[in-house]
Amino acid sequence: MPAKAAAALDGFDLAILDILQRDNTVPQRLIAQAVHLSAPAVQRRIQRLRETGVIRAEAAQLDAARLGRPLTLLVEVHVHDEHPRHTAGLHARIAAEPAVQQCYAITGEADYLLVVTAASMADYDALAERLLRGDDNVRRFRTSVALGCLKLGLQVPVLED
């Protein structure tokens, strides 16, 4: 999906975003107090931030291990041809696969980097079979298993220190 033009954001918007990205359950009246605006003004700004795509989603961050998916795997995918007619099937399978948490088209040796969660190595092997092994355009892929997580988050720096 093409990126939308950057929205014009002021200091109030940035302060609201900083609060929401840390905890989007903070009541708007408390946000209003923190940023020195009225609650209706905060509500209007949040609605505009949603409508313009600055706020892309509001979702809970789940602990995969506690849900029976303790493995996090980083998968570098190398393809023969990056042309959309050759990668469309791969893109569709990746987009439809719930175990793929993130996928990036990247520079360097590999063409894509996937972040995947799995219940076991057998579970991952079945996923690799579905996503990658049957695709003639996939030249090779390399998998690394995360041994631990030093940092997890999608926060964007919005306020300058």
Side-chain angles (χ1 to χ4, degrees), residues 72-78 90 94 99-100 102-104 106 110-118 121 124 127-128 131-133 138 140-146:
T72 299
L73 305 109
L74 307 172
V75 184
E76 293 180 358
V77 180
H78 304 252
L90 177 63
I94 289 170
V100 177
Q102 298 175 55
C103 176
Y104 299 93
I106 60 172
D111 299 296
Y112 301 97
L113 179 65
L114 284 65
V115 179
V116 175
T117 181
M121 286 308 295
Y124 168 69
L127 173 108
L131 288 181
L132 306 169
R133 288 196 186 103
V138 173
R140 66 185 168 96
F141 61 95
R142 183 171 72 181
T143 304
S144 298
V145 179

Side-chain angles (χ1 to χ4, degrees), residues 6-72:
L9 304 176
D10 64 16
F12 292 116
D13 292 329
L14 296 176
I16 291 167
L17 289 168
D18 188 55
I19 292 167
L20 289 176
Q21 75 174 346
R22 285 184 273 120
D23 181 359
N24 74 343
T25 66
V26 175
Q28 290 181 5
R29 65 178 171 72
L30 295 181
I31 296 171
Q33 289 172 358
V35 301
H36 308 291
L37 287 174
S38 68
V42 167
Q43 182 179 24
R44 285 190 301 273
R45 285 171 178 268
I46 291 172
Q47 185 60 35
R48 179 178 47 79
L49 293 166
R50 288 178 181 136
E51 289 170 356
T52 59
V54 175
I55 296 176
R56 295 173 50 182
E58 297 178 55
Q61 189 178 63
L62 305 180
D63 185 327
R66 290 179 187 238
L67 294 168
R69 302 186 69 80
L71 297 178
T72 299

Side-chain angles (χ1 to χ4, degrees), residues 73-89:
L73 305 109
L74 307 172
V75 184
E76 293 180 358
V77 180
H78 304 252
V79 297
H80 291 289
D81 189 335
E82 295 177 52
H83 192 279
R85 75 174 173 265
H86 296 288
T87 57

